[in-house]
């Protein structure tokens, strides 16, 4: 395996008495797509929020490109190359699609004209260029999910966290998004993705990390994981295992 | 369309510059001076309220702090006006910085209530300490030159407008503030530091307001806690901006002109019904919010002309080229 770009070391996150993420460790190698799966409430989004700086871990740490980033604010992490999307999409509803992406482009292109030019390029890539002048509030769910990806890409990240960018899309839209993710991988982007749709996650991931009740219960290639008794039990119950 | 707008603006500025040479009636000049001042107060208020989404119901406090700073520096420290004036802006900016640390963590109605309470506290302070003259207010040395104050007000407000327009409509700063207004959590993921941006916005709003307060004090020569630190300054600014169109600069300027003209006419012809003026102001806020949520300007002029799509990228065939520009490829594993 290539050198890890991201190391999650024994991360625990508690909210009061609830342990949402419990002593989870795994690595992500450069250029890899790692899928993070688990039943509802397993702690996937909480772990995402710890990695992207929205929560500080209660215990453990997160190392990105050799630096401890645990507890650093999200805007700092965007600066070091971590882009993320939100499961509950966060468009700037009162602004146009182009303006939304331009704001993200400011990170690497401080001049407005350069940022706008770069935003256009991103929208061409993600297939939203036709909707550039539409208010973000006027996009369909599929459009808003693409906007999330566009904004994250406009940061020109080296590591991308995708939180359920396929869920809720129809099969055609889902295929287009998968195609886009594969293109990004081909460019050398490292991706950590949370997704519920097994057809998608099994196909695109190099490796999977499975969470249940905040704990890591399995890790490995999609075929290894899908035959793991712990995973089968978590998804289908005691008897199936 | 854009050229026509620029022409209208040029004619307007020329007319405002020539006006005192034609109009010799001091009352008219006085009304115009105050009208220009209100444009300045409204656009400064728009920075934090319209662009950043933080409705500051204590805007009047910055005006009063500027006025009192100039009054105290001129009358008690014997500073000349020109030395005191910038300090009025600085004082307002410093108060914004200190007040912003706790209040800018609040959102929506909570921020409005906190800033309103803070401005009431500052008014009470001015009423109760010695050096402000308490409820009796403070008298400044009179400098009776209406033309001077008209031009000073015009240059200050014109300069403020030009700087704000550049920062908010041309530079990235305006879009960043709007991102904070639309979704603070989402903005963080894009590399924006909301605390820093909100603070910059609050200070940018306070600074010109303090300077205008200082000019007002020297011009009117008498200030007291109710005229400069009272509710009316904040309330009128809110109505002007909401009615004119939040987050547009031109809208608040238009709102300021219309509301101030209405106020002047009301005072001139219906001064027996002063109470009614505030009732009308209140009703106007409610009507604006319900029927024209984008304000007059936002309703009259739909969003700015569509940004043109670069020609050479419209073909799908060029997608790989565009793609490689998006994320610089790193060496594979």
């Amino acid at each position: 395996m290539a050198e890890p770009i991201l190391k999650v070391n024994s991360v625990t996150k508690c909210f009061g008495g609830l342990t949402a993420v419990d002593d989870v460790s795994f690595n992500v190698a450069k250029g890899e797509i790692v899928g993070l799966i688990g039943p509802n409430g397993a702690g996937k989004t909480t772990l995402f929020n710890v990695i992207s700086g929205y929560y500080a871990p209660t215990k453990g740490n997160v190392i990105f490109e050799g630096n401890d980033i645990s507890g650093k604010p999200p805007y700092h992490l965007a600066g070091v190359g971590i882009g993320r999307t939100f499961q509950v999409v966060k468009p700037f509803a009162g602004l146009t699609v182009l303006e939304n992406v331009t704001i993200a482009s400011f990170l690497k292109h401080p001049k407005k004209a350069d940022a706008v030019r770069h935003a256009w390029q991103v929208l061409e890539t993600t297939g939203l260029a036709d909707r550039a002048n539409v208010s973000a509030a006027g996009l369909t769910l599929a459009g808003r999910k693409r906007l999330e990806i566009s904004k994250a890409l406009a940061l020109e990240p080296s590591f991308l966290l995708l939180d359920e960018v396929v869920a809720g899309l129809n099969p055609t839209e889902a295929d287009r998004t998968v195609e886009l993710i594969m293109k990004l991988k081909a460019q050398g982007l490292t991706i950590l993705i949370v997704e519920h749709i097994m057809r998608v996650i099994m196909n695109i991931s190099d490796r999977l990390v499975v969470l249940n009740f905040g704990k890591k219960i399995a890790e490995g290639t999609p075929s290894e994981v899908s035959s793991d008794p712990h995973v089968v039990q978590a998804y289908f119950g005691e008897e199936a295992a | 369309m854009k050229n026509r707008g620029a022409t209208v603006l040029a004619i307007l500025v020329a007319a405002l510059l020539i006006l005192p040479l034609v109009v010799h009636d001091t009352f008219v000049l006085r009304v115009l001076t105050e009208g220009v001042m209100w444009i300045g107060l409204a656009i400064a208020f728009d920075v934090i309220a319209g662009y950043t989404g933080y409705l500051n119901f204590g805007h009047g406090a910055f005006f009063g702090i500027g006025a009192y700073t100039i009054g105290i520096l001129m009358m008690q420290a014997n500073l000349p006006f020109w030395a005191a004036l910038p300090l009025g802006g600085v004082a307002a900016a410093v108060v914004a910085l200190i007040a912003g640390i706790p209040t800018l963590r609040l959102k929506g109605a909570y921020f409005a209530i906190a800033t309103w309470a803070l401005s009431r506290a500052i008014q009470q302070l001015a009423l109760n300490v010695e050096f402000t003259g308490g409820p009796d207010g403070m008298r400044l040395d009179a400098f009776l030159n209406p033309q001077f104050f008209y031009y000073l007000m015009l240059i200050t407000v014109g300069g403020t407008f030009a700087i704000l327009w550049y920062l908010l409509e041309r530079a990235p700063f305006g879009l960043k503030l709007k991102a904070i207004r639309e979704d603070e959590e989402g903005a963080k993921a894009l590399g924006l530091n909301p605390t820093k941006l909100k603070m910059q916005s609050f200070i940018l709003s306070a600074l010109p307001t303090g300077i205008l307060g200082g000019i007002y004090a020297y011009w009117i020569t008498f200030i007291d806690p109710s005229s400069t630190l009272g509710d009316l300054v904040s309330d009128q600014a809110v109505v002007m901006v909401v009615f004119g169109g939040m987050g547009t600069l031109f809208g608040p300027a238009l709102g300021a002109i219309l509301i101030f003209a209405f106020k002047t006419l009301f005072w001139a012809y219906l001064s027996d019904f002063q109470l009614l003026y505030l009732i009308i102001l209140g009703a106007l806020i409610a009507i604006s919010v319900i029927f024209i949520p984008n304000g007059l300007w936002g309703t009259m002029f739909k969003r700015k002309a569509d940004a043109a799509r670069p020609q050479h990228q419209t073909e799908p065939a060029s997608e790989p080229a565009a793609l490689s520009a998006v994320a610089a490829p790193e060496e594979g594993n």
Side-chain angles (χ1 to χ4, degrees):
Chain A
M1 193 195 290
E3 50 168 317
I5 186 171
L6 182 86
K7 290 187 202 168
V8 176
N9 296 326
S10 319
V11 164
T12 299
K13 177 67 194 175
C14 304
F15 298 102
L18 175 84
T19 306
V21 175
D22 191 357
D23 196 26
V24 171
S25 302
F26 64 92
N27 291 344
V28 179
K30 209 166 214 174
E32 221 183 0
I33 295 185
V34 173
L36 189 58
I37 62 170
N40 286 328
K44 306 181 294 289
T45 295
T46 303
L47 188 55
F48 251 49
N49 284 337
V50 170
I51 296 171
S52 60
Y54 278 82
Y55 299 147
T58 312
K59 268 186 236 143
N61 60 25
V62 181
I63 309 288
F64 179 70
E65 289 181 332
N67 301 312
D68 188 348
I69 57 162
S70 16
K72 293 262 170 65
Y75 45 86
H76 173 81
L77 300 189
V80 301
I82 301 181
R84 75 161 290 179
T85 68
F86 290 90
Q87 180 189 354
V88 180
V89 291
K90 290 186 177 295
F92 303 129
L95 307 181
T96 67
V97 168
L98 182 66
E99 285 172 326
N100 266 269
V101 180
T102 302
I103 288 163
S105 299
F106 286 140
L107 183 72
K108 291 283 168 74
H109 304 272
K111 288 218 175 93
K112 194 165 181 185
D114 298 343
V116 171
R117 200 173 309 124
H118 181 254
W120 273 113
Q121 287 173 347
V122 173
L123 291 175
E124 298 284 351
T125 311
T126 56
L128 270 180
D130 290 331
R131 315 283 289 155
N133 288 307
V134 173
S135 132
L139 290 176
T140 59
L141 177 68
R144 280 184 230 180
K145 296 225 164 183
R146 295 218 136 209
L147 179 57
E148 281 289 308
I149 301 177
S150 308
K151 283 156 79 174
L153 282 181
L155 300 168
E156 299 178 56
S158 51
F159 180 57
L160 199 55
L161 292 149
L162 300 176
D163 197 352
E164 299 204 15
V165 287
V166 183
L169 305 188
N170 70 37
T172 323
E173 294 162 347
D175 286 345
R176 282 180 64 201
T177 300
V178 168
E179 210 176 290
L180 176 64
I181 294 170
M182 294 319 285
K183 254 194 241 171
L184 297 172
K185 178 187 160 71
Q187 284 174 23
L189 232 77
T190 309
I191 297 170
L192 181 65
I193 179 167
V194 165
E195 195 50 75
H196 269 306
I197 303 179
M198 286 301 147
R199 174 178 74 93
V200 170
I201 199 93
M202 290 292 171
N203 277 328
I204 65 173
S205 306
D206 296 312
R207 284 190 307 123
L208 289 175
V209 171
V210 190
L211 296 184
N212 193 25
F213 295 114
K215 285 195 168 71
K216 184 172 90 172
I217 57 167
E219 181 178 353
T221 63
S223 58
E224 281 167 10
V225 162
S226 58
S227 56
D228 187 303
H230 292 104
V231 177
V232 176
Q233 189 187 325
Y235 274 91
F236 301 111
E238 201 89 31
E239 309 216 335
Chain B
M1 176 63 207
K2 199 173 175 177
N3 278 335
R4 210 203 301 169
T7 315
V8 171
L9 200 66
I11 293 171
L12 204 71
V13 170
L16 285 169
L17 284 170
I18 297 168
L19 220 73
L21 306 175
V22 187
V23 179
H24 295 289
D25 187 332
T26 35
F27 174 73
V28 174
L29 207 55
R30 189 195 154 108
V31 168
L32 286 170
T33 307
E34 200 181 337
V36 171
M37 180 184 87
W38 277 106
I39 293 177
L41 292 177
I43 57 171
F45 176 74
D46 196 30
V47 178
I48 186 76
Y51 282 85
T52 322
Y54 279 73
L55 209 54
N56 172 17
F57 265 86
H59 192 59
F62 297 139
F63 180 77
I65 286 163
Y68 269 100
T69 304
I70 270 75
I72 291 163
L73 288 177
M74 285 179 72
M75 299 313 293
Q76 287 164 26
N78 285 318
L79 239 60
F81 175 66
W82 293 113
L85 187 60
L87 296 175
V90 170
V94 169
V95 172
L97 179 73
I98 296 165
I101 294 168
T103 58
L104 286 171
R105 302 161 68 101
L106 307 167
K107 278 180 191 163
Y110 299 100
F111 177 76
I113 292 166
T115 47
W116 176 80
L118 205 65
S119 71
R120 296 279 60 78
I122 290 170
Q123 188 185 20
Q124 287 305 315
L125 195 70
L127 278 167
N128 288 297
V129 292
E130 283 286 312
F131 62 91
T132 58
D136 298 333
M138 182 180 266
R139 200 164 282 286
L140 283 82
D141 289 335
F143 178 62
L144 302 172
N145 184 340
Q147 269 87 9
F148 168 79
F149 285 107
Y150 174 79
Y151 280 117
L152 181 59
M153 209 66 102
L154 194 64
I155 289 164
T156 308
V157 171
T160 303
F161 196 103
I163 291 167
L164 292 183
W165 188 80
Y166 174 76
L167 285 175
L168 300 172
E169 293 294 330
R170 278 286 163 270
F173 187 61
L175 263 186
K176 289 181 183 174
L177 292 187
K178 285 178 181 174
I180 302 294
R181 177 187 75 195
E182 298 291 327
D183 194 318
E184 223 164 301
E185 290 302 304
K188 276 189 201 166
L190 305 185
L192 304 184
N193 179 345
T195 312
K196 194 172 129 196
L197 284 164
K198 284 186 286 186
M199 198 57 98
Q200 289 169 339
S201 163
F202 206 28
I203 289 171
L204 188 65
S205 173
L207 189 90
T209 308
I211 292 176
L212 289 172
I215 300 174
Y216 175 85
Y218 193 35
W219 172 43
I220 299 296
T221 74
F222 174 73
I223 51 175
D224 69 356
S226 68
S227 68
T228 61
L229 286 163
D231 273 330
L232 196 63
V233 178
S234 303
D235 294 351
Q236 273 187 174
V238 173
V239 185
M240 286 167 177
V241 173
V242 171
F243 180 59
M246 305 238 281
T248 60
L249 281 187
F250 283 99
L254 179 70
I257 293 166
L258 294 176
I259 302 285
F260 184 72
F262 169 70
K263 182 192 175 185
T264 307
L265 291 172
F266 196 92
W267 245 240
Y269 297 107
L270 294 164
S271 52
D272 293 343
F273 308 99
Q274 280 194 20
L275 197 67
L276 204 59
Y277 173 70
L278 286 175
I279 294 172
I280 292 171
L281 271 196
L284 197 58
I285 291 197
I287 290 167
S288 305
V289 169
I290 295 167
F291 294 105
I292 46 165
N294 296 323
L296 275 184
W297 192 268
T299 309
M300 278 168 9
F301 304 96
K302 289 288 277 181
R303 287 190 62 89
K304 59 180 167 287
D306 286 352
R309 184 174 178 173
Q311 283 303 312
H312 60 281
Q313 281 162 5
T314 45
E315 281 176 63
S318 68
E319 212 169 77
L323 197 67
S324 59
V326 170
E330 314 234 82
E331 74 275 19
N333 51 339

